[in-house]
Amino acid sequence: MAPVQLEFDPSVDGDKGSYVREMFTTIAPRYDLLNRVLSFNIDRSWRRRAVSRLGWQSAPTGTYLDLCAGTLDLAAALARQPAFRGTVIGADFVVPMLRLGRAKAERMKAVGADALALPFDDARFYGCTVGFGVRNLTDLDRGMEEIARVLKVGARLVVLEFSTPQRWPIKPLYQCYSRHVLPRVGRWVSKHATAYSYLPDSVLGFPGPSQFADRFRRAGFRDVDYQPLTFGIATIHWGIRT
Ligand SMILES: C[S@@+](CC[C@H](N)C(=O)[O-])C[C@H]1O[C@@H](n2cnc3c(N)ncnc32)[C@H](O)[C@@H]1O
């Protein structure tokens, strides 16, 4: 049988940015549904845990950035906090994703922007969250430096990202799920040929938690740490802008 022809293989073609834009534009209408189904609804609690690491209570009227905001689920998790009185700017370079999220909460604004060249002044934000976004950047270090640039000194960056479980029996079970179940269900529901094969491949290609912590420090963050969630399927990383 002939090998499966990928619609786009970033490892071969190299133009990952165009692939990521096209992919999220295509899957936008089914993105939230697939998140709920493929994570068994656990993704909502991961986002709440990420928000709890942000320390927004020290500046509840401040302006916060949610980068790679997609359909604004993580932005909304912050904006909906009962004592939150500030604004969350959700930035993403796929505007159809942002449009789908605008009604999820008040106190949010959506801005079309590339994470590698943010249209914001230096030291504008009191904190930043990124949910399942940094893995998609063509230049991780440049993205981290851009985030550091737009954060005030002392502000927190919280990154929620997929990771790879390391312990038996979760490791082989998760590998089986992410290689066989997730791509098939994802392709069937999203109608995109490769988006949900790209997902586990991009997780494998992403630095492990301690390597990513080094990249945090290099970009200008201190007190960097991380916490694995749900057997290490996802990890919350955080640090304070120096
Ligand atoms: C997996 S989605 C995550 C969405 C949302 N944060 C969440 O928690 O569900 C990744 C998002 O990152 C965005 N993205 C990827 N690269 C980007 C870049 N260079 N600049 C801005 N957004 C980017 C994509 O358009 C997509 O909406």
Side-chain angles (χ1 to χ4, degrees):
M1 199 195 284
V4 177
Q5 186 67 45
L6 293 184
E7 203 172 279
F8 177 84
D9 182 346
S11 62
V12 174
D13 295 36
D15 190 4
K16 181 175 168 182
S18 313
Y19 174 75
V20 167
R21 272 181 200 251
E22 178 279 326
M23 176 181 82
F24 283 106
T25 304
T26 306
I27 69 173
R30 297 294 173 97
Y31 176 79
D32 283 352
L33 172 68
L34 274 163
N35 272 352
R36 301 298 102 78
V37 170
L38 292 171
S39 79
F40 304 100
N41 213 22
I42 297 171
D43 63 310
R44 288 178 191 269
S45 70
W46 290 342
R47 290 191 186 81
R48 286 195 295 270
R49 299 274 292 274
V51 167
S52 75
R53 287 279 175 196
L54 188 60
W56 60 269
Q57 294 87 343
S58 60
T61 58
T63 303
Y64 291 79
L65 175 64
D66 180 39
L67 191 57
C68 299
T71 58
L72 297 170
D73 269 353
L74 187 50
L78 170 59
R80 284 194 209 113
Q81 296 289 313
F84 184 73
R85 297 282 174 271
T87 303
V88 189
I89 299 205
D92 199 289
F93 68 3
V94 175
V95 173
M97 290 283 278
L98 293 171
R99 281 205 192 103
L100 287 160
R102 276 189 308 204
K104 286 180 180 170
E106 294 178 356
R107 302 189 168 280
M108 298 194 304
K109 285 183 187 155
V111 174
D114 189 334
L116 303 183
L118 290 172
F120 305 120
D121 291 340
D122 295 358
R124 161 117 190 247
F125 297 102
Y126 284 83
C128 175
T129 52
V130 192
F132 310 110
V134 290
R135 182 174 35 89
N136 298 297
L137 300 180
T138 48
D139 186 338
L140 175 62
D141 294 318
R142 186 160 143 214
M144 297 292 287
E145 282 160 16
E146 265 300 83
I147 296 171
R149 181 184 68 74
V150 300
L151 284 179
K152 294 180 189 296
V153 171
R156 272 187 176 229
L157 166 62
V158 178
V159 173
L160 172 62
E161 195 47 89
F162 288 113
S163 42
T164 307
Q166 297 300 326
R167 296 216 171 162
W168 190 90
I170 301 299
K171 184 174 180 175
L173 286 173
Y174 183 71
Q175 272 174 352
C176 181
Y177 174 74
S178 65
R179 279 192 199 146
H180 302 294
V181 180
L182 192 145
R184 285 184 173 84
V185 176
R187 188 166 51 234
W188 180 57
V189 178
S190 74
K191 313 292 180 217
H192 191 285
T194 58
Y196 287 83
S197 312
Y198 161 82
L199 194 163
D201 287 351
S202 62
V203 175
L204 283 177
F206 193 69
S210 65
Q211 286 83 29
F212 187 41
D214 289 339
R215 311 284 276 270
F216 249 77
R217 289 186 199 96
R218 239 191 284 159
F221 292 89
R222 64 176 165 84
D223 295 343
V224 175
D225 210 344
Y226 56 88
Q227 177 189 23
L229 304 175
T230 319
F231 310 109
I233 292 172
T235 299
I236 302 178
H237 310 258
W238 62 88
I240 298 175
R241 168 79 162 89
T242 51

